[in-house]
Amino acid sequence: MAVARHGGRGTALLLRARWQPAGSGARCIHEGPDTIEELLDRHLVKKPAAGPDEESAEARRRLTSSRREALALYRDILRAARLFAWTDDRGVPWREVLRANARREFEDARGERDPEVVARLLIGGRDAVQQALDRLADASRRAIETEEAKRRGGA
């Protein structure tokens, strides 16, 4: 064991150095890779070239991602539909009309496999839900303002 003084402040720095002969089988730090590329080549598994199976797996992953997005959109539509409690001209609650329309739209698009068309449908659906919620919020705000105006005018 070697002891070295650091900076003349009297702080002892213990250095534990063991000398190993080169043929002893012990690994030293300096025997490692010289560059980061060598380190990565040694320790990372190389990905083989994409074959037809891997291309189909990638297509399945994209489809799974689109499926997940579509299900999330459908759930969001059902959640938003709960907010529409009033009835239409026939006496049917709007939430039921919205649920039925969403179901029909999703069933019609169920067999679509073109990623561009699926993406366009998902974006259009998200936009439609957001517009409906914005209109509902505006209508609710106007109804509250009208009610407050009546109270102030009547009081």
Side-chain angles (χ1 to χ4, degrees):
M1 180 167 28
V3 178
R5 300 254 176 220
H6 178 62
R9 288 181 258 165
T11 307
L13 176 64
L14 297 177
L15 300 175
R16 293 182 184 155
R18 291 187 178 180
W19 181 78
Q20 299 275 338
S24 67
R27 295 201 68 188
C28 295
I29 294 174
H30 60 80
E31 290 178 7
D34 292 332
T35 65
I36 292 177
E37 288 80 21
E38 289 178 8
L39 178 71
L40 294 176
D41 286 343
R42 182 180 295 175
H43 294 288
L44 294 179
V45 176
K46 293 183 177 50
K47 186 175 181 182
D53 291 337
E54 291 177 11
E55 289 173 3
S56 65
E58 180 63 28
R60 279 195 305 272
R61 276 193 291 275
R62 277 196 307 260
L63 184 62
T64 303
S65 174
S66 296
R67 177 182 170 86
R68 222 178 295 132
E69 289 179 48
L71 289 172
L73 174 60
Y74 190 72
R75 286 190 300 268
D76 288 345
I77 291 170
L78 294 180
R79 282 187 208 106
R82 281 189 245 156
L83 302 172
F84 293 83
W86 56 90
T87 60
D88 65 358
D89 297 337
R90 298 170 293 159
V92 179
W94 271 106
R95 83 175 64 100
E96 298 303 323
V97 173
L98 293 172
R99 285 179 187 163
N101 287 341
R103 172 82 183 216
R104 189 180 69 248
E105 291 276 337
F106 275 80
E107 287 293 332
D108 290 345
R110 173 177 262 177
E112 188 60 55
R113 296 287 183 235
D114 185 10
E116 291 180 19
V117 174
V118 171
R120 197 173 331 123
L121 289 169
L122 290 171
I123 291 169
R126 285 266 173 228
D127 189 41
V129 170
Q130 190 60 49
Q131 286 179 5
L133 290 175
D134 290 344
R135 288 182 192 148
L136 178 64
D138 290 340
S140 297
R141 198 173 305 114
R142 283 194 305 271
I144 290 170
E145 290 170 356
T146 304
E147 187 65 32
E148 288 177 354
K150 286 180 186 178
R151 286 184 190 160
R152 277 185 254 135

